[in-house]
Amino acid sequence: MKRSDDARGSAPPLPSAEPVGLVDPTGRRIAGGAYDTPEPGTLRSLLRGMLIGRRFDRQAGALARQGRLAVYPSSRGQEACQVGGALALAERDWLFPTYRDCVALVARGVDPVEVLTLLRGDWHSGYDPRGTRCAPQCTPLATSAPHAVGLAWAARRAGDDAAALVMMGDGATSEGDAHEAFNFAAVWKAPVVFLVQNNQWAISVPLHKQSAAPTLAHKAVGYGMAGVHIDGNDAAAVHAAVSEALASARAGGGPVLIEARTYRMDPHTNSDDPSRYRDDTERAHWEERDPLIRLEALLRSEGALDDTAMAGFEKEAESVAAAVRERYSGEDEGAPEEMFAHVYHAVPEQLERQRRELLAEIGEG
């Protein structure tokens, strides 16, 4: 059936070639910023969340090295995206995280130990998705994006005034699931915001070998939705951009794709060796753009943060890490036979035989 041009929406504006921000790497406000800078209380909350997130991230990495976690994908360097995005959510909104978004879940208020449950190799996500309004973390790239679109569209049809924030990496935008989600969301104006944390590397594959687009935000244009290109190490800009996009999505403005340009400082996971594919010069460049140092400098320069407040944030961050460490210090309470459960309604004989053999070997049969 022929569709008239009048039925199509007007073309969205092109994203900027360079990422826009509110605070420069030295901690100074950028004149004529694309968004209003969040008020000081919000900025302090962002810094607090990033300090807790970084300390939690370091503690989780230590647990992985001790063998208490099966794997841990660090998000050090990406705290502005993690916390800025999570704190922009309203209580009624939904977060769809990936395996690298543990800090976002902690910022959202999920129990830090429950956040790490999946990374222990457990069979469940560790937290209640309905109670937290956080979907389970997904390891396959982009698979949560269509789920988010479906949930957001169903919520809209049910009269639930909620939006969904999908977190994904640059590598995920090369997956078919992402394109299907973008298309469906744009056609139906689903209240979804796609936050692409462009950390420059999909494991060992650099961005220039993944996409020929001027920016990843430009990919939005082909689907008829807005694309925004922001400095992903500027927590103020991330929070402002995501807040505005979520508000527009809730109001029926349709989905938004936000590319946040950032950098993964640590290995892909604790089993990765990034020295095989990137050099120290690149890392040093991004060290100078540390999102925590940038926001602290801004708050101090404007008299919104002093040593006492900073010490309080750091003490709270250490308390979170200590609690995680203490709760992981005991024996693993997981039952070995659980690995055989919740897969088949009628358990195949081969699997049942393996279960019996395991229980006999450990003296529980």
Side-chain angles (χ1 to χ4, degrees):
M1 182 176 69
K2 184 177 180 180
R3 183 180 182 184
S4 69
D5 289 340
D6 291 340
R8 298 179 184 269
S10 58
L14 291 175
S16 59
E18 293 299 318
V20 300
L22 297 175
V23 183
D24 72 17
T26 67
R28 292 177 295 189
R29 289 180 183 265
I30 297 173
Y35 304 94
D36 292 332
T37 304
E39 51 90 21
T42 299
L43 295 177
R44 284 193 295 271
S45 294
L46 289 169
L47 180 59
R48 169 186 172 273
M50 290 196 294
L51 285 164
I52 291 173
R54 179 162 293 184
R55 183 64 187 90
F56 164 82
D57 186 87
R58 186 153 56 92
Q59 182 60 66
L63 291 171
R65 289 190 296 274
Q66 295 165 7
R68 296 182 181 275
L69 296 180
V71 66
Y72 184 70
S74 171
S75 60
R76 179 171 176 261
Q78 299 179 215
E79 293 90 352
C81 297
Q82 300 272 302
V83 178
L87 293 190
L89 290 160
E91 186 176 351
R92 63 188 181 279
D93 293 333
W94 276 79
L95 174 64
F96 281 76
T98 70
Y99 59 90
R100 196 177 302 283
D101 298 319
C102 292
V103 169
L105 287 164
V106 172
R108 179 70 165 152
V110 181
D111 180 344
V113 170
E114 293 183 354
V115 169
L116 295 174
T117 297
L118 184 67
L119 300 173
R120 299 183 73 182
D122 213 324
W123 58 268
H124 61 82
S125 69
Y127 52 86
D128 174 15
R130 288 184 179 274
T132 60
R133 306 285 272 196
C134 296
Q137 290 174 277
C138 69
T139 299
L141 300 187
T143 55
S144 65
H147 300 166
V149 175
L151 181 143
W153 176 240
R156 170 64 56 83
R157 289 178 62 86
D160 183 357
D161 180 22
L165 176 65
V166 183
M167 288 187 160
M168 60 174 65
D170 45 290
T173 65
S174 299
E175 296 288 329
D177 298 75
H179 296 279
E180 292 162 8
F182 297 160
N183 192 59
F184 192 102
V187 168
W188 294 104
K189 290 190 177 297
V192 182
V193 175
F194 302 97
L195 178 59
V196 178
Q197 299 173 79
N198 175 9
N199 65 18
Q200 314 301 312
W201 294 91
I203 309 183
S204 61
V205 180
L207 181 65
H208 73 270
K209 290 187 177 181
Q210 298 179 54
S211 174
T215 73
L216 296 178
H218 277 73
K219 294 190 175 187
V221 177
Y223 296 99
M225 64 176 169
V228 179
H229 187 201
I230 63 172
D231 184 341
N233 280 24
D234 180 351
V238 174
H239 186 273
V242 175
S243 294
E244 182 176 293
L246 286 168
S248 174
R250 290 190 214 100
V256 180
L257 189 156
I258 300 175
E259 176 189 352
R261 194 165 182 266
T262 184
Y263 192 74
R264 166 173 56 81
M265 299 300 299
D266 287 346
H268 175 69
T269 69
N270 53 292
S271 62
D272 177 39
D273 178 10
S275 66
R276 298 177 63 186
Y277 54 84
R278 66 186 193 188
D279 58 46
D280 291 340
T281 303
E282 179 181 276
R283 193 175 189 278
H285 170 83
W286 285 96
E287 284 279 11
E288 296 174 356
R289 288 154 177 77
D290 189 303
L292 279 71
I293 295 174
R294 181 186 305 195
L295 187 53
E296 180 185 352
L298 172 70
L299 289 168
R300 285 187 181 276
S301 69
E302 298 188 350
L305 181 73
D306 57 22
D307 289 344
T308 301
M310 189 68 179
F313 293 157
E314 291 173 341
K315 182 178 180 180
E316 187 177 0
E318 190 57 48
S319 295
V320 170
V324 171
R325 190 166 58 246
E326 180 180 357
R327 291 169 65 186
Y328 269 94
S329 63
E331 293 295 324
D332 186 356
E333 297 179 358
E337 64 267 24
E338 283 189 347
M339 73 175 74
F340 300 96
H342 313 294
V343 178
Y344 295 96
H345 175 68
V347 181
E349 173 55 32
Q350 181 182 15
L351 197 61
E352 175 59 27
R353 184 174 66 254
Q354 292 174 10
R355 186 188 73 84
R356 292 194 303 267
E357 290 173 354
L358 173 64
L359 295 180
E361 183 176 338
I362 63 178
E364 295 185 10

